[in-house]
Amino acid sequence: LATDDGLLILPVDSGADLAAFRVEPTVLDGEPALVERWRVHPGGDLLRAVLLDDLVVVATADRRVVAYDLGGLRRWTLATDDLVLADPVRTADGAVVVHSLDGAVLAIEATDGAVRWRARTRAEADATPAVLDDTVVVFDRSGQMLALDPADGRRRWSRVTTVVAASGAAGGRVVTVDGAGTATGYDAGGRRRW
């Protein structure tokens, strides 16, 4: 992970720690060198690590989601019932959305880690959620694509698609890629556009 101001954040010690480095001049000769700025141990091996604005959010093999600020200070920790194998995403109103393997969807307040709402897909899940405008879209291994309101988790729409291997939001569309590599674009109302 790389921040706009040049901080490089990566797993170290066989994936058990997360460390931040910055290129700085050395004291002795002024030559640039990679200098460790901080190191954290979120507990358990790191499964996912993402940079979400001013937070580094990590999912661990110990079924925890941990958030750090860019200075390495732990902001919050949340235990989950199952592993989180998809990247957490952030909504425009400040929630971190996590979709765990058992299908549980959690919206977590970015500031303090409080759970804003919970939802569930009908099957296991490992595809990254997508955030488009004011809609969170999650996917499960049965092909369900479920759109939720980021404020309260209410269901907006649902449709059945091919199983999603990758997803994101681009060009005003939710873009999915299936296991065969076929990309499909949907609008915010869930209508297939291409």
Side-chain angles (χ1 to χ4, degrees):
L1 309 174
T3 66
D4 291 339
D5 68 347
L7 198 62
L8 179 64
I9 304 168
L10 59 131
V12 292
D13 291 340
S14 300
D17 287 351
L18 193 69
F21 300 88
R22 186 182 302 280
V23 175
E24 297 178 359
T26 59
V27 176
L28 296 176
D29 59 13
E31 289 296 315
L34 199 58
V35 176
E36 186 173 311
R37 304 307 300 160
W38 51 262
R39 179 181 296 240
V40 295
H41 182 72
D45 291 337
L46 305 177
L47 299 176
R48 309 303 298 174
V50 295
L51 181 62
L52 300 175
D53 301 324
D54 59 345
L55 288 179
V56 178
V57 180
V58 178
T60 74
D62 286 352
R63 298 179 181 187
R64 280 186 256 171
V65 178
V66 185
Y68 297 94
D69 67 19
L70 296 182
L73 180 65
R74 187 179 293 220
R75 298 282 297 275
W76 48 264
T77 301
L78 180 73
T80 58
D81 290 335
D82 208 341
L83 300 174
V84 174
L85 301 178
D87 286 343
V89 295
R90 192 160 183 181
T91 64
D93 66 349
V96 174
V97 177
V98 175
H99 196 180
S100 60
L101 184 60
D102 63 356
V105 183
L106 302 172
I108 307 158
E109 295 293 343
T111 54
D112 62 7
V115 175
R116 181 187 291 184
W117 51 261
R118 296 173 191 270
R120 181 166 292 283
T121 52
R122 64 182 177 206
E124 290 185 334
D126 57 4
T128 297
V131 178
L132 181 64
D133 300 329
D134 64 344
T135 303
V136 174
V137 183
V138 294
F139 314 90
D140 72 16
R141 290 180 177 174
S142 74
Q144 179 188 33
M145 185 164 78
L146 176 64
L148 304 166
D149 186 307
D152 57 15
R154 279 182 295 131
R155 178 180 166 158
R156 290 196 169 158
W157 52 263
S158 178
R159 70 176 292 145
V160 176
T161 66
T162 57
V163 177
V164 172
S167 64
R173 301 282 185 254
V174 172
V175 179
T176 64
V177 178
D178 65 20
T182 303
T184 307
Y186 301 90
D187 65 20
R191 291 175 293 277
R192 183 178 174 169
R193 294 301 183 181
W194 49 265

